[in-house]
Amino acid sequence: MSADLTHIDTWLFDLDNTLYPAESGFMGQVEGRMTDFVAKVTGLPRDQAYALQKKYLAEHGLTLHGLMLNHGVDPADFHALFHDLSLDVLAHDADLLAALERLPGRRLIFTNADDKHAERVLAHLGLDHLFDDVFHIHSFGFTPKPDPLGFQRMIDAHGLDPRATSFFEDSERNLKPAFDLGMTTVLVGSGAQASTEPFVTHRTTKLAPFLGAARLKEAA
């Protein structure tokens, strides 16, 4: 049965592994460079650097946040690691483009990545013209998802009504603060259907069919 989203007028999307499938392998490239960087900064062997990378992600919501707090890493140096990554594995999705175009109201990106990464990926996917703004890691003062403060800063910056906002994410834990604020939450990805968390309103393996079938508010 199609989802009833007739109460939604703001569409909030995570970027990586949400607007393109995790199966592309792109984030694997990102993670590999991140591990190399952690090893360089800490002097740890690569396997220990990877473990520390994941520890910081779990503790802070973002590996970068842990590196900033514990190792004095400059976020500009960290983000520069990814700005020359090839985007060739990310394919245009005509069905997703059409599904996004039919959504009434505002469309926003909410990402723990930086602005340049978001701009590169959206442009490569041919989706950059569809979004009103990108709320990125600099926008919310390095308080990354799932920190509720980052969500509140995003809401304040854009004057959102959480009850009329739907948030789409591939990370289950990032949906909880959105749900607690009153948003409709949608878990996206191959493992979404297995989720049993009560803070996940809807689950979909693929974003385009879900959006294409959803019931939407009629244009005024």
Side-chain angles (χ1 to χ4, degrees):
M1 182 179 293
S2 60
D4 182 358
L5 300 178
T6 54
H7 61 297
I8 301 299
D9 61 19
T10 300
W11 308 85
L12 190 62
F13 292 89
D14 173 52
L15 175 65
D16 292 303
N17 288 351
T18 298
L19 289 184
Y20 60 81
E23 291 75 16
S24 69
F26 178 67
M27 287 304 292
Q29 299 179 45
V30 171
E31 281 207 348
R33 287 204 179 181
M34 199 180 300
T35 304
D36 291 340
F37 183 80
V38 174
K40 179 180 178 181
V41 167
T42 63
L44 292 171
R46 201 170 189 278
D47 60 337
Q48 294 180 34
Y50 179 77
L52 183 63
Q53 170 184 332
K54 292 303 181 183
K55 178 175 182 286
Y56 286 162
L57 177 64
E59 291 178 350
H60 303 287
L62 193 67
T63 298
L64 170 60
H65 203 192
L67 291 172
M68 291 169 64
L69 291 173
N70 297 293
H71 306 278
V73 165
D74 184 336
D77 294 337
F78 179 85
H79 287 132
L81 297 170
F82 315 113
H83 293 164
D84 65 345
L85 277 174
S86 172
L87 303 175
D88 290 347
V89 296
L90 303 181
H92 283 227
D93 185 339
D95 291 337
L96 179 59
L97 175 65
L100 289 170
E101 284 180 330
R102 73 183 284 262
L103 299 178
R106 291 182 293 177
R107 310 177 198 96
L108 304 168
I109 296 292
F110 185 27
T111 177
N112 281 347
D114 75 330
D115 51 347
K116 185 170 182 179
H117 172 81
E119 290 164 3
R120 289 186 74 229
V121 171
L122 287 171
H124 182 82
L125 293 173
L127 303 176
D128 49 331
H129 65 291
L130 293 175
F131 293 93
D132 297 273
D133 195 18
V134 174
F135 206 71
H136 51 83
I137 190 64
H138 296 279
S139 305
F140 44 93
F142 296 95
T143 51
K145 298 176 290 182
D147 190 325
L149 180 58
F151 281 82
Q152 192 59 56
R153 287 175 173 169
M154 182 270 304
I155 289 169
D156 293 343
H158 292 285
L160 301 189
D161 176 0
R163 295 165 299 177
T165 300
S166 187
F167 181 40
F168 299 79
E169 252 279 5
D170 70 291
S171 173
E172 189 177 64
R173 71 173 184 164
N174 288 347
L175 293 175
K176 187 178 189 306
F179 182 84
D180 290 344
L181 286 162
M183 295 184 190
T184 297
T185 58
V186 184
L187 183 61
V188 180
S190 58
Q193 299 295 350
S195 171
T196 58
E197 293 291 356
F199 55 80
V200 178
T201 313
H202 301 289
R203 300 158 181 82
T204 183
T205 303
K206 295 183 180 299
L207 184 57
F210 176 85
L211 291 176
R215 287 172 283 160
L216 307 178
K217 179 182 295 186
E218 294 184 8

